[in-house]
Amino acid sequence: MNRCLALLLALGATLTTGCCTHCCTKNGDKNMNIKQEPFGTTKNGKPATIYTLRNANGVEAKITNYGGIVVSLTVPDRDGNFADVVLGYNTLDGYIKKTPYFGALVGRYGNRIANAKFTLDGQVFNLATNNGPNALHGGIVGFDKVLWTARPLQTANGPSLELCYVSKDGEEGYPGTLTVKAVYTLTTDNGLRLDYTATTDKATVLNLTQHSYFNLAGQGNGDILNHEVVLNANAFTPVDGTLITTGEICPVKGTPFDFIKPHAIGERVNQQGDEQLKFGGGYDHNWVLNKGFEKQLSLAATVTEPKSGRVLEVWTTEPGLQFYCGNFLDGTITGKSGKVYKHRYGFCMEPQHYPDSPNKPLFPSVVLRPGDTYTHTMIYKFAVK
Ligand code: BGC
């Protein structure tokens, strides 16, 4: 890594704006046109619901209040043929039994926290370990495995689903009672927009993201190696052999991590001799977005599937993006409609703060304090080429 620059970053990316009340009502607006159906029962015997949001263009998103999971997302190709472009299951049972976070709302902390521990204001917090010695995606029972209170809403932007969850002080080891709201909106211009807000009663760390596995040729229809990716990032955060960020920020120029111009995922993913690709088993890294630490919503990634012409744009207010190309998918999962998900049959684009930020003082801060409001907006926007 001697070609890397360990860049000194200005601390304190602003996570706090405005104010927001966090409340969830159980009953939504009865006049609205959002379908809701039972989606099985949780391990504790609680009923889950699946909500279908549909816009005037026929684009459809199915979301369950179990884990905030995006169960399906059906979008047109260049000839107007619709396909479901996210991996997952038809039933709740599938998600309960075995899932690599298909479609999930990830929290409290997206990606890994080294040795499942961090220090905040001089106090050490020990987290649940669920990835070797590390904490991954919020722990053993993260936000992807809890029932959220749901309220369907009709908004000017399109049909929405508001999900709320109150995470107890000490849940999975994290301090503070955290009140989280996630609003999913299927926009009139074919975007799935997510607006996350959260407040706490004690200082804590927070990094929420979304974990859909996309395949723009349609879920289960082969690997994603022909998808062409553009990432608006001149740098990335390298990892060690256990996938923990080293704390460095390295330029992508001259490496297989340079996606400033479009490259097919498969073009360099198996390039021999690249240590970072070896550690990740392919792409499984956080890119440092050129937008910097400002909270403005910016285009982070564009992915094109040449045969169908489907294009996915990823917009975010966050400073980083985890691009994971399904390296751990190995054909042991049979998903929707009996489709087997083999190696690299899906990719994730997870807008986020940098992995292991609580232990990396030079990375932008992920601390949320009482009185402040965490905000995070992301849009997965679909088009054709
Ligand atoms: C991580 C991978 C991990 C996967 C979980 C991704 O966000 O970057 O390392 O294996 O989630 O299924």
Side-chain angles (χ1 to χ4, degrees), residues 99-101 111-112 131 136-137 211 213 243 284-285 322 324 328 348 350 352:
T99 175
Y101 300 89
N111 213 280
R112 293 172 179 81
N131 188 251
L136 174 68
H137 293 334
H211 210 288
Y213 287 69
L243 290 178
D284 189 358
H285 295 76
Q322 186 82 12
Y324 167 58
F328 292 111
C348 302
E350 306 158 58
Q352 61 178 10

Side-chain angles (χ1 to χ4, degrees), residues 62-73:
K62 286 182 186 275
I63 300 151
T64 174
N65 63 332
Y66 175 83
I69 293 171
V70 176
V71 174
S72 72
L73 195 48

Side-chain angles (χ1 to χ4, degrees), residues 62-383:
K62 286 182 186 275
I63 300 151
T64 174
N65 63 332
Y66 175 83
I69 293 171
V70 176
V71 174
S72 72
L73 195 48
T74 309
V75 300
D77 68 6
R78 67 162 76 85
D79 299 319
N81 300 312
F82 283 76
D84 178 2
V85 294
V86 293
L87 277 56
Y89 295 105
N90 293 326
T91 63
L92 181 66
D93 226 37
Y95 292 102
I96 290 173
K97 285 193 178 129
K98 181 176 178 176
T99 175
Y101 300 89
F102 285 146
L105 197 173
V106 169
R108 295 190 186 192
Y109 201 93
N111 213 280
R112 293 172 179 81
I113 296 184
N115 297 312
K117 120 166 32 156
F118 66 94
T119 305
L120 179 58
D121 297 337
Q123 201 184 331
V124 177
F125 293 95
N126 290 296
L127 306 172
T129 56
N130 63 336
N131 188 251
N134 307 317
L136 174 68
H137 293 334
I140 298 165
V141 184
F143 290 176
D144 58 300
K145 294 181 185 67
V146 297
L147 262 193
W148 293 64
T149 306
R151 183 165 72 123
L153 298 166
Q154 199 68 57
T155 71
N157 257 345
S160 290
L161 180 69
E162 180 191 272
L163 298 181
C164 287
Y165 179 67
V166 180
S167 172
K168 291 196 186 78
D169 186 11
E171 202 168 291
E172 300 297 305
Y174 290 94
T177 309
L178 189 78
T179 305
V180 190
K181 185 158 86 174
V183 181
Y184 298 64
T185 305
L186 187 59
T187 62
T188 46
D189 60 353
N190 296 350
L192 181 64
R193 177 182 171 124
L194 290 94
D195 291 286
Y196 294 159
T197 49
T199 53
T200 185
D201 65 356
K202 278 185 196 160
T204 192
V205 296
L206 185 61
N207 182 33
L208 304 175
T209 188
Q210 217 288 327
H211 210 288
S212 283
Y213 287 69
F214 296 97
N215 186 327
L216 300 179
Q219 59 86 26
N221 291 344
D223 64 46
I224 44 74
L225 297 177
N226 72 333
H227 287 53
E228 287 165 7
V229 171
V230 174
L231 300 176
N232 292 329
N234 291 334
F236 76 116
T237 52
V239 291
D240 65 19
T242 64
L243 290 178
I244 295 294
T245 46
T246 60
E248 297 159 298
I249 293 188
C250 294
V252 294
K253 205 170 165 45
T255 78
F257 291 79
D258 186 348
F259 284 94
I260 289 289
K261 297 214 174 100
H263 288 276
I265 296 175
E267 188 185 320
R268 300 165 298 176
V269 70
N270 294 324
Q271 191 170 300
Q272 293 304 303
D274 186 279
E275 188 184 51
Q276 285 300 311
L277 284 175
K278 193 171 145 222
F279 287 160
Y283 298 112
D284 189 358
H285 295 76
N286 170 70
W287 269 255
V288 173
L289 297 173
N290 290 342
K291 70 188 277 297
F293 309 147
E294 294 303 317
K295 287 298 287 182
Q296 87 273 8
L297 189 60
S298 311
L299 180 63
T302 307
V303 186
T304 307
E305 200 285 307
K307 281 198 198 129
S308 64
R310 288 193 187 93
V311 178
L312 166 66
E313 285 181 3
V314 184
W315 293 73
T316 181
T317 54
E318 297 300 273
L321 181 77
Q322 186 82 12
F323 165 39
Y324 167 58
C325 69
N327 307 310
F328 292 111
L329 295 174
D330 58 4
T332 54
I333 290 181
T334 302
K336 288 180 261 190
S337 317
K339 301 260 173 92
V340 176
Y341 298 144
K342 298 188 195 151
H343 193 219
R344 298 183 180 149
Y345 262 41
F347 67 91
C348 302
M349 291 286 177
E350 306 158 58
Q352 61 178 10
H353 264 257
Y354 311 162
D356 199 30
S357 291
N359 294 308
K360 300 283 164 13
L362 297 182
F363 285 178
S365 172
V366 288
V367 175
L368 180 69
R369 296 190 181 274
D372 291 343
T373 301
Y374 166 92
T375 63
H376 174 180
T377 295
M378 66 184 91
I379 306 176
Y380 295 107
K381 189 167 178 301
F382 295 89

